[in-house]
Amino acid sequence: DLPNYLDLHTGTLYTKASITGFEASIDLVGFVYLTSGKFSPTLCCPDYTGSSSVIGRYPEIESWSTKNLTSYDYYTSDNNLISAEKFENAQNDSLLVTSYKPDKVSGLCKYCYTGTIIPFKTEDGKYGLVRVLHADLTETGYMELEVKIQK
């Protein structure tokens, strides 16, 4: 069973079998689904309730007492505004904070293909970047991510 849940602050991954007791620490939920005829590797969060909600894929989230809202800057990721070089060279908070544009955000970020870099802000106000190192294009596939987050 591959992990679906990620605590962005610690980098700890959880599966459905190991999540019990750690629900309140989950900031990111990953999945792949078919939308508009295309497979979309997707980053989401426990508190997202839109039409592509994680509840349909992971119904156990509905019973969690704490559901964190992580906001993903989909405009920056959709338009490839952060290069791999900038990501690799980010050594302090400046790029993490300035790359996040709060007027184009959602609790869901679609089309997170390999190489995509997505700015985010967690429920507790920490800014960061996710780089997709690998994303399968099947609903049973997996994603591999690299994360940089404020301390």
Side-chain angles (χ1 to χ4, degrees), residues 45-121:
C45 66
D47 199 36
Y48 181 75
T49 57
S51 62
S52 302
S53 167
V54 294
I55 301 297
R57 286 154 186 77
Y58 308 108
E60 63 273 13
I61 292 174
E62 197 161 28
S63 68
W64 294 5
S65 60
T66 300
K67 298 176 193 141
N68 291 322
L69 177 63
T70 300
S71 297
Y72 302 101
D73 176 355
Y74 61 85
Y75 180 83
T76 296
S77 63
D78 286 353
N79 293 284
N80 298 311
L81 299 181
I82 301 172
S83 68
E85 182 181 20
K86 282 184 180 177
F87 178 90
E88 290 164 9
N89 291 329
Q91 300 299 320
N92 57 40
D93 289 357
S94 65
L95 182 65
L96 304 180
V97 174
T98 60
S99 62
Y100 180 84
K101 307 293 185 243
D103 57 329
K104 303 281 188 187
V105 300
S106 174
L108 176 102
C109 190
K110 300 189 293 186
Y111 309 115
C112 298
Y113 299 117
T114 300
T116 302
I117 298 171
I118 307 106
F120 67 85
K121 183 179 178 185

Side-chain angles (χ1 to χ4, degrees), residues 7 14-26 64-66:
D7 176 340
Y14 298 93
T15 63
K16 286 182 183 184
S18 67
I19 190 62
T20 302
F22 300 99
E23 298 90 344
S25 66
I26 300 307
W64 294 5
S65 60
T66 300

